[in-house]
């Protein structure tokens, strides 16, 4: 069966319940941060302001599953092109092209990590693909990196490439679902990062992941994220069933005002910059760069994730 057939199977088997009602959670709520699925003994509610509805993780699994199939298919057949358009649409590329590919990641990390003192710290790279940026965080800064992606085939290749290119630090590879907190257990991070990943998710999934990325920071921790805040055309991405039926690589956004509010709910300050067409192409709308800082209350200012995890 082709990817469209598989996407329709996912839609039929995983029909979401009606959108739940209720209010979005605030950072002051007592909650279970081991899973993004629950809070206070009930389903956790995520407010998708752009779409004027709330979701639970259960209700976003169908759209996640459909697109996960497609990304895994690309991971088997054209992994390198899928993470950096311009590379060949083949299962493998030359060593020369790989060296150039990973070198481009080093330039990006040097820019976003400038002045952040991440040496030896814990870094989460969300939507890491083939590890282009995860490797740079480890090799350049000596960081302990968790490389997270929805495609096990991309991660398999990344793990093989890391074995050949490791110079410093450490990288672990984690397959993700909408419950980003669960596979992290009680691990928290000094820095969270994502680029060219969130833009391919519907707004509901963007909100789900963005809130949990804030949750995963230690008090005083920081982050750098890229996400579109405006996309052209009539398709808002709010109709998740339509997104499943359409399939393919899509571009979606969350407005600037909604970004600030969702991070504030979770206890993160977000400094957001309009980045024009960076990372999204000429006709895809406008991108935003988000610099995060987690509120320090409840933890020692400046204490690293490694130090916190060692605390009884």
């Amino acid at each position: 069966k082709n990817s469209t057939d598989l996407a329709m199977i996912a839609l039929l088997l995983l029909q979401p319940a009606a959108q739940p009602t209720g209010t979005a959670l605030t950072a002051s709520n007592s909650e279970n941060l081991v899973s993004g699925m629950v809070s206070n003994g009930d389903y956790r509610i995520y407010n998708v302001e752009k779409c004027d509805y709330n979701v639970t993780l259960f209700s976003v699994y169908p759209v996640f599953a459909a697109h996960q199939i497609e990304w895994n298919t690309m991971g088997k057949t054209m992994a390198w092109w899928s993470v950096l358009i311009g590379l060949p649409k083949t299962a493998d590329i030359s060593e020369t092209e790989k060296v150039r590919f990973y070198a481009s990641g080093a330039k990006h990390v040097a820019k976003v990590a400038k002045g952040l003192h991440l040496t030896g710290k814990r870094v989460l790279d969300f939507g890491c693909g083939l590890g282009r940026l995860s490797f740079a965080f480890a090799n350049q800064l000596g960081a302990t990196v968790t490389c997270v992606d929805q495609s096990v085939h991309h991660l398999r290749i990344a793990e093989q490439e890391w074995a050949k290119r490791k110079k410093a630090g450490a990288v672990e590879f984690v397959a993700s679902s909408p419950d980003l907190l669960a596979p992290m257990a009680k691990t928290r991070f000094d820095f969270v990062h994502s680029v060219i990943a969130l833009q391919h998710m519907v707004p509901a999934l963007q909100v789900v992941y963005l809130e949990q990325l804030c949750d995963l920071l230690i008090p005083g921790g920081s982050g750098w994220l890229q996400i579109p805040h405006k996309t052209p055309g009539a398709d808002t991405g709010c109709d998740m069933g339509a997104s499943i039926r359409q399939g393919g690589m899509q571009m979606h956004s969350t407005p600037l005002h909604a970004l600030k509010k969702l991070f504030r709910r979770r206890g993160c300050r977000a400094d957001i910059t309009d980045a024009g067409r960076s990372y999204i192409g000429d006709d895809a709308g406008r991108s935003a760069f988000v610099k995060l800082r987690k509120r320090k209350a409840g933890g020692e200012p400046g204490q690293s994730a490694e130090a916190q995890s060692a605390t009884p």
Side-chain angles (χ1 to χ4, degrees):
K1 291 181 180 298
N2 61 33
S3 60
T4 302
D5 294 332
L6 293 171
M8 291 306 299
I9 291 170
L11 175 62
L12 292 171
L13 294 179
L14 296 169
Q15 285 291 337
Q19 300 295 353
T21 58
T23 57
L25 293 169
T26 64
S28 62
N29 290 143
S30 169
E31 58 196 355
N32 180 2
L33 287 181
V34 175
S35 171
M37 181 74 76
V38 297
S39 178
N40 297 328
D42 205 343
Y43 286 113
R44 175 169 165 177
I45 302 296
Y46 296 84
N47 177 239
V48 188
E49 184 174 341
K50 176 181 179 178
C51 301
D52 194 29
Y53 57 58
N54 297 325
V55 297
T56 64
L57 291 198
F58 176 77
S59 64
V60 299
Y61 264 95
V63 69
F64 167 80
H67 290 297
Q68 184 187 37
I69 290 169
E70 300 202 41
W71 282 99
N72 272 281
T73 300
M74 286 189 282
K76 292 180 71 174
T77 60
M78 56 180 81
W80 300 90
W81 175 87
S82 71
V83 296
L84 195 63
I85 293 175
L87 292 173
K89 289 186 175 182
T90 54
D92 201 6
I93 60 176
S94 70
E95 179 60 22
T96 299
E97 288 169 315
K98 290 179 182 179
V99 169
R100 190 180 303 120
F101 173 79
Y102 287 109
S104 70
K107 294 176 183 177
H108 173 85
V109 166
K111 180 179 178 181
V112 302
K114 185 177 180 180
L116 290 179
H117 309 294
L118 295 178
T119 303
K121 301 298 181 64
R122 290 187 181 273
V123 172
L124 187 151
D125 185 21
F126 176 76
C128 63
L130 300 174
R132 183 173 69 103
L133 305 172
S134 296
F135 294 8
F137 279 114
N139 283 333
Q140 287 179 231
L141 304 178
T144 298
V145 184
T146 299
C147 175
V148 177
D149 202 271
Q150 65 180 331
S151 168
V152 294
H153 296 293
H154 284 82
L155 291 175
R156 177 182 56 82
I157 297 171
E159 191 166 10
Q160 292 170 353
E161 293 296 329
W162 174 242
K164 295 185 289 185
R165 303 178 195 282
K166 178 178 179 179
K167 297 177 183 177
V171 180
E172 65 172 346
F173 303 90
V174 177
S176 70
S177 74
D179 195 346
L180 185 58
L181 294 178
M184 305 306 159
K186 295 183 179 180
T187 301
R188 294 297 178 263
F189 297 87
D190 298 279
F191 188 74
V192 295
H193 172 272
S194 182
V195 65
I196 325 180
L198 290 158
Q199 61 195 36
H200 298 306
M201 303 175 184
V202 296
L205 279 171
Q206 290 177 349
V207 169
V208 162
Y209 282 120
L210 288 169
E211 285 200 11
Q212 291 180 83
L213 285 169
C214 175
D215 293 343
L216 285 165
L217 283 171
I218 64 163
S222 60
W224 190 98
L225 312 171
Q226 174 268 329
I227 183 173
H229 66 85
K230 184 182 296 184
T231 44
D235 181 15
T236 63
C238 293
D239 185 338
M240 290 185 277
S243 175
I244 293 172
R245 291 188 293 273
Q246 176 184 335
M249 191 180 291
Q250 301 174 14
M251 186 72 69
H252 297 294
S253 62
T254 292
L256 293 175
H257 66 275
L259 289 171
K260 279 189 172 288
K261 289 171 69 173
L262 74 88
F263 285 122
R264 190 181 306 121
R265 285 197 299 267
R266 307 308 303 169
C268 281
R269 187 184 75 238
D271 296 326
I272 304 176
T273 305
D274 177 279
R277 295 171 178 173
S278 298
Y279 298 109
I280 61 175
D282 292 342
D283 302 317
R286 298 192 70 83
S287 192
F289 294 161
V290 182
K291 293 182 178 180
L292 291 182
R293 177 68 69 174
K294 185 71 171 282
R295 185 182 303 145
K296 292 184 178 180
E300 291 295 326
Q303 187 179 20
S304 72
E306 184 175 24
Q308 286 205 359
S309 66
T311 303

